[in-house]
């Protein structure tokens, strides 16, 4: 990438002195930043190679663990796109693990029927955070969820501030987690329902200690006087269940 700091200094019509000054600046610039960029690229190449080797090792390990009687010839429409797409995502540990699982599943007759060609495209649309959230559905299929609102009790008005607050929302970046949950819903992996909620005691107690609930206090003003929340549930869909069992196992 070439960056022209002072274009007039390298203009062919510039005076010899101006051209000399321009060449000096450009030379020093390339010496300082050019070497830095080159070093950065070398570091990225080494990192990518290390991740590639880890990806190959993970995939081989998973395939080798399949009993011989359960090995099957993979369908090209499944394994071809999976291997092709994986090369763009192996720098994320979570996503390369998903691709390794999917490739192994394509040759395992025990779980091959749970795989679907859409799984490749689904992984391509996931972030590492999305993948970590999905991991929870290996343990349970329904979780409490809530949306937080500020309301005016006198006028019976309210405004939704945050939606899709879950108990395992990381405190350091709850807004990113909220977006991730919305993405999982968009992909058809989970469904969110605020017309139902769980009735076990203390299930929703985590809400009032959540970063989203505390941040919602900032919206209290002359219009809105109370922070409240709606209880709901988030559950895995049949597609999501098969995806998680195929791509998130041993995650």
């Amino acid at each position: 990438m070439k960056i022209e700091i002072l274009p007039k200094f390298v203009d062919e019509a510039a005076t010899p002195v101006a051209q000399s000054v321009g060449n000096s600046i450009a030379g020093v610039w390339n010496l300082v930043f050019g070497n830095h960029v080159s070093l950065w690229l070398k570091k990225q190449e080494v990192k990518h190679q290390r991740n590639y080797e880890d990806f190959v090792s993970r995939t081989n390990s998973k395939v080798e663990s399949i009993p011989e009687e359960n090995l099957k010839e993979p369908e090209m429409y499944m394994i071809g796109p999976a291997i092709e797409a994986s090369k763009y995502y192996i720098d994320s540990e979570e996503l390369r693990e998903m691709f390794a699982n999917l490739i192994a599943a394509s040759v395992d007759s025990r779980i091959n029927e749970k795989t679907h060609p859409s799984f490749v495209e689904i992984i391509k649309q996931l972030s590492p955070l999305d993948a970590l959230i999905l991991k929870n559905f290996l343990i349970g299929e329904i979780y409490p969820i809530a949306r937080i609102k500020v309301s005016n009790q006198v006028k019976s008005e309210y405004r939704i501030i945050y939606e899709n607050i879950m108990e395992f929302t990381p405190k350091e970046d709850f807004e990113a987690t909220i977006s991730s949950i919305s993405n999982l819903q968009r992909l058809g992996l989970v469904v969110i329902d605020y017309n139902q909620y769980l009735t076990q005691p203390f299930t929703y107690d985590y809400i009032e200690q959540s970063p989203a609930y505390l941040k919602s206090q900032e919206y209290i003003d002359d219009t809105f006087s109370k922070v409240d929340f709606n209880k709901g549930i988030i559950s895995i869909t049949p597609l999501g269940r098969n995806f998680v069992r195929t791509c998130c196992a041993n995650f």
Side-chain angles (χ1 to χ4, degrees):
M1 178 176 64
K2 186 176 181 181
I3 301 177
E4 302 291 358
I5 309 303
L6 298 171
K8 69 177 182 179
F9 284 165
V10 295
D11 193 318
E12 291 296 330
T15 65
V17 173
Q19 287 189 20
S20 177
V21 171
N23 289 332
S24 296
I25 293 176
V28 174
W29 182 273
N30 289 329
L31 178 64
V32 175
F33 288 96
N35 287 344
H36 174 74
V37 171
S38 177
L39 179 61
W40 181 84
L41 288 174
K42 289 179 180 178
K43 288 182 177 179
Q44 295 305 306
E45 184 178 354
V46 170
K47 177 184 176 183
H48 186 77
Q49 180 64 28
R50 185 169 60 247
N51 289 336
Y52 170 75
E53 291 172 357
D54 176 72
F55 176 58
V56 171
S57 176
R58 288 175 188 238
T59 304
N60 286 340
S61 177
K62 293 175 187 299
V63 172
E64 289 170 0
S65 68
I66 302 171
E68 187 172 353
E69 63 269 20
N70 297 121
L71 286 171
K72 66 177 293 293
E73 284 292 329
E75 302 290 349
M76 186 55 66
Y77 67 79
M78 177 65 70
I79 197 169
I83 293 176
E84 171 64 24
S86 67
K87 66 184 179 183
Y88 300 107
Y89 298 89
I90 60 175
D91 286 340
S92 163
E93 180 177 359
E94 295 82 4
L95 299 184
R96 70 173 176 264
E97 176 72 5
M98 281 188 164
F99 273 115
N101 283 331
L102 181 56
I103 292 169
S106 70
V107 297
D108 189 341
S109 62
R110 296 170 299 179
I111 55 176
N112 179 261
E113 63 181 19
K114 293 184 175 66
T115 62
H116 191 275
S118 66
F119 288 179
V120 174
E121 293 303 317
I122 288 174
I123 298 176
K124 288 167 61 176
Q125 297 180 68
L126 295 178
S127 71
L129 181 56
D130 297 342
L132 289 172
I133 292 173
L134 274 178
K135 181 182 176 182
N136 291 276
F137 290 96
L138 283 171
I139 304 170
E141 295 196 349
I142 299 178
Y143 288 95
I145 198 167
R147 56 186 180 193
I148 296 175
K149 64 184 181 181
V150 287
S151 59
N152 184 320
Q153 294 174 292
V154 177
K155 297 182 179 180
S156 299
E157 297 176 348
Y158 71 91
R159 175 184 173 189
I160 301 295
I161 302 299
Y162 295 112
E163 292 201 69
N164 305 342
I165 309 299
M166 297 187 68
E167 191 167 7
F168 45 80
T169 299
K171 293 183 178 180
E172 61 273 14
D173 199 354
F174 70 90
E175 291 185 341
T177 306
I178 291 171
S179 295
S180 286
I181 294 169
S182 295
N183 186 46
L184 299 180
Q185 183 182 32
R186 177 186 68 85
L187 292 170
L189 302 177
V190 300
V191 61
I192 297 169
D193 186 354
Y194 287 108
N195 293 316
Q196 300 183 63
Y197 61 90
L198 302 176
T199 58
Q200 294 91 331
F202 314 117
T203 300
Y204 294 89
D205 285 2
Y206 73 91
I207 297 296
E208 295 185 355
Q209 281 76 50
S210 70
Y213 189 88
L214 298 176
K215 190 172 178 61
S216 296
Q217 304 289 339
E218 299 175 5
Y219 290 86
I220 298 299
D221 55 22
D222 294 336
T223 303
F224 302 110
S225 58
K226 182 185 178 184
V227 177
D228 203 352
F229 62 87
N230 298 127
K231 300 176 182 178
I233 59 172
I234 178 171
S235 55
I236 195 79
T237 65
L239 175 67
R241 185 183 302 111
N242 284 343
F243 179 84
V244 168
R245 291 176 179 175
T246 300
C247 301
C248 297
N250 304 317
F251 188 65

